[in-house]
Amino acid sequence: MLRLTLAQMRRSLGRLIAAGVAILLGSAFVTATLTAGDVIERGGYDAMTALYGDADLIVFPSPDATPSDTLAAARGTAGVTTADALVISWVSFESGRRSSNEGVIPVPSDPSLASLDVVQGRAPASHGEVALPAASAERLGVGVGDTIRVSWTVWPTYSAEDVAEATGDVDTSPEPEPEPTEKTADVTLVGIVEDPSGAWASYGGAGLATLDAVVEWSGVSTLDEMAVGEVLVAVDGDVDPVRAELAERLDRDEVLTRDEAAARSVESYGAGNFLVMMVLGFAAVALLVAALVIANTFQVIVAQRTRMLALLRCVGARRGQLRASVLLEACILGVVAGVAGVLTGLGLAQGMLSVLSRVQTGVPLPPAVQPTLRNILVPVLVAVVVTVGAALLPARAATRVSPVAALRPADAPTVRARPGRVRLVLSMLLTVGGFAALAGGVALARAGTGIDSMLPLGIGVLGGGTSFVGLLVGSPLWVPRIVSSVGRPIASISTSARLAAANTLRNPRRTSATSTALVIGVTLVVMMSTGAISAQESLAREMDERGPVDLLVVDSSGEAMSKAVADDVTSLDGVETVVVARAGLVLNAEGRERQAYVVDPADAHVIRDEVAADALAAGRSVVPEGWSGPVSTLEVTAQDTAPIEVLPRGTKTALLTTDAADALGIDRAPTTLLVRLSGGTDAIETLRAVQDLVADDTMHFESTAAQRQGNEEIIDIVLAIVIGLLGVAVVIALIGVANTLSLSVIERRRESATLRAVGLSRRGLRWMLATEGMLIAGVGALIGTVLGLLYGWAGAATVFGPLGDVHLSVPWAHLGAVLAVALLAGLVASALPARAAARTPPVAALGVD
């Protein structure tokens, strides 16, 4: 049977290529994902080990031992060359009118424990020296050898008598509590440091100072009073005996190697694993679509081999042998395509790694992928399992071929099994129940208060997944009907179009399977696109309400804003409106304080929030919702107290009309610029331009537009990545369309010859197949678009429902692109099959196989 199976595969090589490409893409996806997961995990390890330098052992803190005791025990252990405590202090450096808050860590006692590199000058050696990152030195406008001022806070310490007094053990007269004091000192910048592996990136960088200076700048007297992290230990020689002795001396098991400590830290975050699991989910989608394509391919291959299988039964082949032959063919295809997919996936991973290593220079990345046995075997095993699983039903159909079928000189039969009632009932239960759960998740999310935020999301995901599975189960029931409905108006165009519309309905199950593969990919693409854009607009409205002014420029000195500054800001590109406004602090009756900006009703157009702008134009002030509830008049206090007409909104600040500000006695000196940006403006670049233009330390800048743009960029990046991943599933589905058309040409070979014989031209035959391909692809894309819009809106409503109303935002550009690509792909997929059908002479095609 092996020789026969290989011969059959050679004869059906053209038919198996499309299925092989589908499973190749799926296994390549899995390979690239697993390899990327290893890179993410290794990158997390490297980031954590960078914090530890080249320490051989890491001792985690314990409440039973002080840092001094741990250091003494480590340094007294045989084989230990040095030990340092991992500690950081926060101080403020000043140079002239410029200042910078900086984390400072001690200079390591051994270079092997260093996490920072001194790239200019030298490391601090005395109490009055410091080394800073290049960005901090540039911000302060200083260089190596310059003097800067450091300021820190000294916190009061409490004696035993203080503790006894606090607990009521002694009765003393009350005295004023000691307050923290601010101290300053001049230090010399002796070096510039660099963080090559991003060890302190989450802290915004770090500088170097001596241990005594770091302790003093922490505002305490000794190291034991600081928040000390791990103790880093350098070992001379074999690590294991030193580790065992140190663990025994400290009487604890928290003595780990560098990799063990890094693994512990990475697992505590779990971000890398989550990312890998998310991408593997997309790989599963791609494999599901590939399984549909493969099942369709083998189903028709078995149908095409009906006569040969029947002849094999006539000469003595058993049913089990025929079933084993089909499954062996699937297994060989899975192995070959899986191995090719592994090679492709490794190549893709290496290409992405090369690109990222050039772009993300601050992120530690390995120079090359390091394939493991797991990353090679798992994708091949998955490819084989999916391929063999997809071939199970066709193999079962092969065993039903009777020997009598060999005596019928007719075209290979098509698969016309009608969906049964069990499928109908199961599909209805899953679909109706799933949509009910999805609606329930949306309703719970919109209810908001008093509900666990994960509950609506969990119900929504479960309901959406269940309803989608129900739709897929019932697809043979409704997809052919939709194809028929769309095909009717197309059939009136020409004879070729009428034949194409009829051909799509000749085998409803195969048409349904092909369209369903495309439906899955398109639904997920449109769902993510719709959900992301709806979420983007909902977040934008929320940010407009919370921060109704695009850009605020506030003079913190209290001096009036000069007209020249306002004119300069107005002249910048991207600035639409600039209003000079008063500002002040206001309180409600409960004493809640808020910053307030005064907006003349004539200048209300500077406000981005349309509801707030309309209220100000009508003479009503805008205050935070927590201030007033549903009331329209509120007692507000500034210099004076007065009742004012208000509109409660979700804003962080108050917006007062000029009449309300006058009644409250707010200073008439305009200290603030309210700036509205033009549509499509780069808010971040505009903010930088304003900061460069108004180079004054007394100016404070706040840009809601820049925050909104940052959120939108993050969503756009994530959306692009997700659509790119899901695009693999769409490509596989389109391969399925091409596969279906190719098999359809072979299956209808004699029919096509008959059409040619009665007068249908080659061009007409090609257009018939092109119309058929575009009809199948177009209907699949159309169904996927509708479902994607529905699921995308429901997902956005579930996630962002507590924030307010979420309106359906239609990504017209994405929808147009999806439909255009589907139709074009259907046309392209028909090119080779149509060419093969048109080139076959009618006389040769009419011969009996």
Side-chain angles (χ1 to χ4, degrees):
M1 291 303 293
L2 176 61
R3 187 163 59 247
L4 178 62
T5 300
L6 294 177
Q8 290 174 344
M9 293 187 69
R10 285 194 297 269
R11 186 180 180 188
S12 305
L13 187 61
R15 311 175 194 180
L16 296 175
I17 286 178
V21 171
I23 200 64
L24 181 149
L25 290 175
S27 59
F29 207 158
V30 175
T31 303
T33 300
L34 292 175
T35 305
D38 287 346
V39 172
I40 292 170
E41 185 178 9
R42 187 67 254 173
Y45 273 47
D46 291 343
M48 293 300 173
T49 54
L51 194 68
Y52 303 140
D54 291 329
D56 297 297
L57 294 174
I58 315 297
V59 182
F60 282 81
S62 170
D64 300 330
T66 65
S68 298
D69 293 339
T70 305
L71 283 171
R75 291 167 179 168
T77 302
V80 172
T81 58
T82 187
D84 284 344
L86 195 61
V87 62
I88 185 170
S89 176
W90 294 95
V91 292
S92 176
F93 293 100
E94 298 177 1
S95 175
R97 302 182 66 179
R98 301 181 179 182
S99 64
S100 175
N101 291 322
E102 197 73 44
V104 182
I105 63 174
V107 177
S109 55
D110 188 288
S112 65
L113 302 182
S115 57
L116 298 174
D117 293 342
V118 179
V119 295
Q120 184 180 346
R122 59 177 176 83
S126 64
H127 192 282
E129 296 177 344
V130 70
L132 295 177
S136 301
E138 183 179 354
R139 188 159 52 244
L140 292 170
V142 296
V144 174
D146 291 340
T147 299
I148 55 179
R149 174 155 293 190
V150 58
S151 59
W152 68 95
T153 302
V154 177
W155 301 96
T157 57
Y158 297 91
S159 63
E161 292 78 8
D162 296 326
V163 175
E165 178 183 352
T167 57
D169 292 341
V170 296
D171 184 14
T172 61
S173 301
E175 296 181 1
E177 294 184 2
E179 295 183 356
T181 57
E182 297 291 330
K183 285 195 173 185
T184 60
D186 290 336
V187 295
T188 302
L189 182 66
V190 297
I192 301 297
V193 298
E194 185 180 67
D195 189 356
S197 300
W200 301 94
S202 60
Y203 295 87
L208 284 176
T210 62
L211 178 59
D212 291 340
V214 171
V215 172
E216 181 183 1
W217 294 346
S218 297
V220 296
S221 303
T222 64
L223 181 66
D224 291 340
E225 299 177 54
M226 297 184 64
V228 178
E230 298 88 339
V231 170
L232 312 182
V233 180
V235 175
D236 183 15
D238 192 2
V239 173
D240 290 336
V242 178
R243 176 183 181 180
E245 183 180 348
L246 184 56
E248 183 178 355
R249 294 188 65 171
L250 294 174
D251 192 23
R252 57 178 135 146
D253 298 328
E254 294 295 297
V255 180
L256 308 178
T257 64
R258 187 173 64 244
D259 278 354
E260 289 173 346
R264 171 175 169 170
S265 300
V266 170
E267 290 172 3
S268 67
Y269 288 103
N273 292 335
F274 171 77
L275 181 61
V276 172
M277 292 303 296
M278 182 185 72
V279 181
L280 280 175
F282 294 127
V285 172
L287 289 171
L288 173 61
V289 175
L292 292 173
V293 174
I294 294 166
N296 196 23
T297 301
F298 274 93
Q299 194 173 35
V300 179
I301 285 176
V302 170
Q304 290 293 309
R305 293 177 183 168
T306 298
R307 288 170 54 80
M308 185 188 67
L309 295 174
L311 287 172
L312 289 174
R313 291 291 308 282
C314 288
V315 297
R318 298 187 302 275
R319 290 186 176 185
Q321 289 178 310
L322 297 182
R323 182 168 55 250
S325 175
V326 175
L327 294 180
L328 178 61
E329 186 174 350
C331 184
I332 294 173
L333 177 64
V335 171
V336 173
V339 171
V342 168
L343 297 177
T344 305
L346 291 176
L348 290 174
Q350 180 61 50
M352 290 187 295
L353 190 61
S354 300
V355 172
L356 287 176
S357 62
R358 292 187 179 94
V359 176
Q360 301 290 343
T361 55
V363 179
L365 292 173
V369 295
Q370 299 175 354
T372 62
L373 188 62
R374 181 200 65 168
N375 295 354
I376 294 174
L377 292 181
V378 169
V380 175
L381 181 62
V382 169
V384 172
V385 169
V386 170
T387 309
V388 173
L392 284 176
L393 287 179
R396 183 169 175 265
T399 62
R400 294 181 174 182
V401 177
S402 64
V404 179
L407 304 176
R408 291 200 296 264
D411 285 339
T414 58
V415 183
R416 292 180 177 271
R418 290 186 176 182
R421 294 181 179 179
V422 174
R423 180 188 292 268
L424 174 62
V425 173
L426 180 61
S427 173
M428 290 294 294
L429 288 175
L430 292 175
T431 303
V432 174
F435 277 120
L438 183 63
V442 174
L444 286 174
R446 293 179 66 115
T449 57
I451 298 175
D452 184 355
S453 60
M454 295 304 296
L455 178 61
L457 181 61
I459 294 177
V461 169
L462 179 62
T466 302
S467 61
F468 193 54
V469 170
L471 291 172
L472 294 181
V473 170
S475 59
L477 298 167
W478 55 274
V479 169
R481 297 178 184 273
I482 296 178
V483 173
S484 176
S485 300
V486 176
R488 287 194 192 100
I490 295 177
S492 62
I493 297 176
S494 64
T495 301
S496 298
R498 185 163 58 253
L499 290 171
N503 285 336
T504 59
L505 298 178
R506 292 186 59 190
N507 195 330
R509 187 180 290 275
R510 192 196 319 146
T511 299
S512 171
T514 305
S515 293
T516 299
L518 192 57
V519 165
I520 294 173
V522 173
T523 297
L524 295 174
V525 169
V526 175
M527 178 188 71
M528 295 303 301
S529 179
T530 303
I533 291 179
S534 298
Q536 205 171 61
E537 294 193 3
S538 298
L539 285 174
R541 285 195 299 269
E542 179 71 13
M543 291 197 68
D544 287 346
E545 184 176 342
R546 292 184 178 275
V549 182
D550 286 344
L551 175 61
L552 287 169
V553 183
V554 182
D555 191 337
S556 58
S557 68
E559 297 180 2
M561 185 74 66
S562 69
K563 187 176 184 301
V565 173
D567 292 340
D568 290 341
V569 174
T570 304
S571 65
L572 292 174
D573 293 337
V575 175
E576 179 180 312
T577 306
V578 176
V579 172
V580 183
R582 291 182 277 164
L585 294 175
V586 295
L587 298 88
N588 67 350
E590 299 175 357
R592 296 182 183 178
E593 186 179 72
R594 281 290 187 275
Q595 181 70 34
Y597 301 102
V598 182
V599 182
D600 190 285
D603 297 326
H605 58 278
V606 77
I607 303 300
R608 177 69 62 179
D609 182 10
E610 295 181 358
V611 176
D614 292 341
L616 290 168
R620 297 179 66 188
S621 299
V622 178
V623 296
E625 288 178 339
W627 270 30
S628 62
V631 302
S632 59
T633 303
L634 186 68
E635 286 280 345
V636 177
T637 301
Q639 279 71 26
D640 300 320
T641 300
I644 60 174
E645 294 290 325
V646 298
L647 171 71
R649 292 289 285 169
T651 177
K652 297 186 299 182
T653 59
L655 301 174
L656 303 178
T657 63
T658 50
D659 291 341
D662 292 340
L664 295 172
I666 291 179
D667 189 358
R668 291 184 175 274
T671 59
T672 304
L673 293 183
L674 310 181
V675 183
R676 176 164 180 155
L677 305 183
S678 306
T681 299
D682 189 329
I684 298 175
E685 289 297 327
T686 304
L687 173 61
R688 292 172 181 166
V690 173
Q691 289 173 329
D692 293 338
L693 182 65
V694 188
D696 193 331
D697 289 343
T698 64
M699 294 296 179
H700 170 71
F701 305 91
E702 182 178 345
S703 177
T704 303
Q707 297 175 14
R708 179 171 59 244
Q709 180 176 312
N711 291 338
E712 291 173 352
E713 288 177 352
I714 292 173
I715 293 176
D716 289 340
I717 292 172
V718 173
L719 179 61
I721 294 173
V722 170
I723 288 181
L725 295 175
L726 293 175
V728 176
V730 176
V731 171
I732 294 175
L734 293 174
I735 291 174
V737 174
N739 192 26
T740 295
L741 291 176
S742 299
L743 296 172
S744 179
V745 167
I746 297 171
E747 193 176 57
R748 299 200 303 262
R749 190 165 176 256
R750 300 189 67 209
E751 177 188 323
S752 299
T754 303
L755 291 173
R756 289 288 312 284
V758 298
L760 186 65
S761 64
R762 289 184 175 182
R763 181 180 181 183
L765 185 61
R766 285 195 295 266
W767 271 111
M768 180 189 75
L769 291 172
T771 305
E772 183 178 347
M774 288 190 291
L775 186 59
I776 293 174
V779 168
L782 186 63
I783 295 172
T785 297
V786 174
L787 293 177
L789 287 172
L790 174 62
Y791 287 122
W793 174 82
T798 302
V799 175
F800 297 97
L803 299 180
D805 292 335
V806 180
H807 302 285
L808 174 62
S809 299
V810 181
W812 295 110
H814 292 171
L815 298 188
V818 167
L819 293 175
V821 167
L823 293 175
L824 181 61
L827 179 62
V828 172
S830 68
L832 290 178
R835 183 171 178 267
R839 293 181 62 180
T840 303
V843 175
L846 287 171
V848 178
D849 290 337

